[in-house]
Amino acid sequence: MRAADVAAAAGVSTTAVSFVLNGRDAGSISAATRARVLKAAEELGYRPNHIARSLRQRSTSSIGLVTDAVASSPFGGRLLAAATETAEASDQVLLMMDIGHRTGRVGEAIAALEHRQVDAIIYATMGFTELAEAPESRIPLVLANCVAPTPGPSSVSPDDAGGATAALEHLADLGHQHVVMLGGHYDPGNPNSGNISGPIRWDAFRRAAERRSVEARHVGTGWQIDDGHAAALTALDAPPGERPTALFAVCDRIAAGALLAAAKLGLDVPGDVSIIGFDDQEALAGHTVPALTTVALPHAAMGEAAVRMALDAVSGGSETPEHLVLPCPLVVRGSTAPPPMGAG
Amino acid sequence: MRAADVAAAAGVSTTAVSFVLNGRDAGSISAATRARVLKAAEELGYRPNHIARSLRQRSTSSIGLVTDAVASSPFGGRLLAAATETAEASDQVLLMMDIGHRTGRVGEAIAALEHRQVDAIIYATMGFTELAEAPESRIPLVLANCVAPTPGPSSVSPDDAGGATAALEHLADLGHQHVVMLGGHYDPGNPNSGNISGPIRWDAFRRAAERRSVEARHVGTGWQIDDGHAAALTALDAPPGERPTALFAVCDRIAAGALLAAAKLGLDVPGDVSIIGFDDQEALAGHTVPALTTVALPHAAMGEAAVRMALDAVSGGSETPEHLVLPCPLVVRGSTAPPPMGAG
DNA sequence: CTGTTAGCGCATTCAT
DNA sequence: ATGAATGCGCTAACAG
């Protein structure tokens, strides 16, 4: 089933077939010929060989996606799904390559993808990361969920600081005067190491607290449920009057651990303590009891934006790299409320 | 940078270059020529254009992966990561296409991938699914985490029944005489609808219970944390003597909800109640407090096997479809223990 | 042992 | 308005 077959069936040349099927027939193909070609193509169920077309056009309509274990992160899927969907909408396809945690292999992966003639490359990391240096690429590159030293390639990243600020504002508006942030500090044994969300969130949270004159401390490290459980136990270990009335978890898993700790302590959430998370993790934040008030990480938006930027770059868009910082909206659910009477 | 450039630099023909670089030089290329080609290629940093090679060889060394929202499922990532890694080890690449929950589009996605000339296709679903009919494909197709009516294409699926049986055996061995399974029934509003794990697990669990003469009931529906929380509250609402001593959650999220419910009830896990999950969900099962004893879903093994089977089929392996059923091993952690004294 | 040559399927320039 | 001819970069018969 080749263009030549269609041409033969329609009694025209392959040129005519190519022109008609690619919409290049303005003023050069008669309506009659056009109709015959369309009919023949339809009947034969013809679809151009994408490989041959790619070779000829020097463009594969595919973009390479190299991931730093995004494929195995709890919310990396959101980015992936949005990226594939956006790509598909433009008749593009994503070529995946996961380097696990071996970040040294980014170059290799990019090179392999380049030789497959992808039109552009997206490098997406699991956690928000500050790259020591931008990966090398001969073709358009966009960074998703990470940034490189300026001037670096285009990037899309989440406004972690804005999200943390919003979290504190929410708590302050509710009347909390004494809050503690849980978890997230640098942890050498953790694959999240390059992750800079912890310090960014704490910093923004602390500053916002100062502005609103609320007392803020930081307790515990880590990113997992058990880390959150331990941190909350420590933070909540105080007589009612001195106990924090709200907990800001560095991520939803930490918040889930805090929820468990509160339950064990016989504390009601949000009656006795408010808990607010970060990430809006799928199948977690919206389903805890009570459902978690949290700050949403814009993974879907990042996936979509990354593909869009890559496509723009391919079609010769602006030369100057673009640095998109996407908002992290507050999602209010049931785990936050005003502090109990007389607390503080 | 083409083969011709390398040939020119080495002072040989492109044939020599092609033969040397593809290892077809046995007894047809002199050592001297071979060395010159290698040196020139090295110096020029030559890498063959994969597209041109694909066109010529009618094989793209890439396999299409269409997913039913696996990309956004909590553990779909494990399958993805293993699949990409296995593919990479054979110099293959994965072309991703996610159809979200619009299962009607499988055909479309497969067709699109076929026109991209992928060598084989893998269709992977989020939950273990029984397909009403096998997707159509002109090229080798393997089903991952789902099966079609026989005779269908090759497939890899988890031994859910075996896992559920192992869970009961574990509980019975510990001495539990009264257990209840939590969650998982068919739920029309749930995207997991085609998922047959619920009934399969309950069925196997119930039968195993009969064999061991332990009393088993089923309580609650759903697959999320809050569903588990509600189900556990119901199951545990009985005086100590009549209360079940162990809970088997249809999945780890349900188990997490049960853990939370137990904490609220002031019940110790595993001291007062044992809880066992299913899935061994990343960042969840191993990090609850206590860590969850659970049955592991072999997602990584399925991803690897699917790619391997697809590759075998491409290289003209056995014609007859193969149906791999992978074991779901019990992972004993801290949430199960013998029942409390005098319980029943 | 080595080089010449002919496609793979398509898009496109250049005659007609 | 249409078609013949050319080439994208590579591999592999085939001839030398």
Side-chain angles (χ1 to χ4, degrees), chain A residues 222-243:
Chain A
W223 300 83
Q224 301 297 342
I225 296 176
D226 44 1
D227 299 318
H229 179 263
L233 248 26
T234 303
L236 261 16
D237 181 24
E242 300 162 30
R243 193 201 294 145

Side-chain angles (χ1 to χ4, degrees), chain A residues 13 15 27-30 33 55-56 58:
Chain A
S13 73
T15 308
S28 63
I29 296 287
S30 71
T33 305
L55 178 59
R56 179 62 228 242
R58 294 149 171 290

Side-chain angles (χ1 to χ4, degrees), chain B residues 262-311:
Chain B
K264 287 187 181 170
L265 259 21
L267 260 24
D268 180 63
V269 177
D272 298 315
V273 227
S274 282
I275 295 183
I276 181 168
F278 209 115
D279 290 356
D280 196 21
Q281 185 176 330
E282 191 115 33
L284 176 57
H287 291 282
T288 51
V289 185
L292 221 48
T293 290
T294 191
V295 176
L297 233 27
H299 274 104
M302 286 195 291
E304 183 180 334
V307 170
R308 212 177 288 292
M309 285 163 73
L311 259 28

Side-chain angles (χ1 to χ4, degrees), chain A residues 1-2 6 30 47 57 64 67-68 77 101 115 123 135 154 168 183 215 220 244 271 278 284 291 296 315 341:
Chain A
M1 195 38 356
R2 304 164 309 153
V6 177
S30 71
R47 291 274 301 257
Q57 298 188 150
T67 60
D68 156 26
H101 294 289
H115 289 114
Y123 176 51
S154 291
L168 183 114
E215 180 188 346
F278 209 115
L284 177 57
S315 56
M341 285 306 178

Side-chain angles (χ1 to χ4, degrees), chain A residues 8-312:
Chain A
V12 300
S13 73
T14 60
T15 308
V17 174
S18 177
F19 272 44
V20 171
L21 265 34
N22 291 305
R24 298 238 179 306
D25 56 347
S28 63
I29 296 287
S30 71
T33 305
R34 183 183 152 75
R36 289 224 307 287
V37 169
L38 254 21
K39 179 158 162 288
E42 171 69 38
E43 283 172 357
L44 297 176
Y46 172 74
R47 291 274 301 257
N49 179 317
H50 206 277
I51 296 296
R53 169 198 285 253
S54 295
L55 178 59
R56 179 62 228 242
Q57 298 188 150
R58 294 149 171 290
S59 158
T60 54
S61 300
S62 57
I63 98 169
L65 176 63
V66 2
T67 60
D68 156 26
V70 172
S72 53
S73 107
F75 28 66
R78 292 210 302 241
L79 195 154
L80 274 187
T84 54
E85 192 158 341
T86 308
E88 193 185 346
S90 301
D91 275 306
Q92 304 272 330
V93 107
L94 253 36
L95 266 175
M96 262 195 26
M97 200 148 255
D98 194 283
I99 58 172
H101 294 289
R102 303 151 304 189
T103 48
R105 297 204 190 165
V106 189
E108 263 177 65
I110 292 182
L113 255 10
E114 279 176 347
H115 289 114
R116 292 240 177 200
Q117 319 298 128
V118 298
D119 297 344
I121 291 192
I122 293 176
Y123 176 51
T125 55
M126 174 172 75
F128 182 28
T129 305
E130 208 161 57
L131 270 21
E133 55 180 348
E136 290 282 341
S137 170
R138 313 155 54 109
I139 59 182
L141 169 70
V142 7
L143 267 22
N145 205 23
C146 55
V147 294
T150 44
S154 291
S155 66
V156 220
S157 44
D159 183 14
D160 271 63
T165 302
L168 183 114
E169 296 288 343
H170 173 64
L171 261 17
D173 288 349
L174 249 19
H176 293 275
Q177 296 284 92
H178 180 185
V179 302
V180 356
M181 174 163 162
L182 261 27
H185 266 182
Y186 175 75
D187 171 7
N190 195 304
N192 271 314
S193 291
N195 192 320
I196 51 175
S197 285
I200 289 181
R201 292 175 190 173
W202 165 236
D203 215 58
F205 188 74
R206 184 178 48 72
R207 289 183 195 206
E210 270 170 28
R211 281 197 299 276
R212 297 289 298 257
S213 310
V214 347
E215 180 188 346
R217 286 185 302 128
H218 187 287
V219 171
T221 61
W223 300 83
Q224 301 297 342
I225 296 176
D226 44 1
D227 299 318
H229 179 263
L233 248 26
T234 303
L236 261 16
D237 181 24
E242 300 162 30
R243 193 201 294 145
T245 58
L247 265 20
F248 171 49
V250 74
C251 71
D252 290 339
R253 295 189 299 285
I254 291 285
L259 238 23
L260 194 55
K264 287 187 182 171
L265 258 22
L267 260 24
D268 179 63
V269 178
D272 299 315
V273 226
S274 282
I275 295 183
I276 181 169
F278 209 115
D279 290 356
D280 196 21
Q281 185 177 331
E282 192 114 33
L284 177 57
H287 291 281
T288 52
V289 185
L292 222 47
T293 291
T294 190
V295 177
L297 233 27
H299 273 106
M302 287 196 290
E304 183 178 335
V307 170
R308 213 178 287 291
M309 285 163 73
L311 258 28
D312 283 353

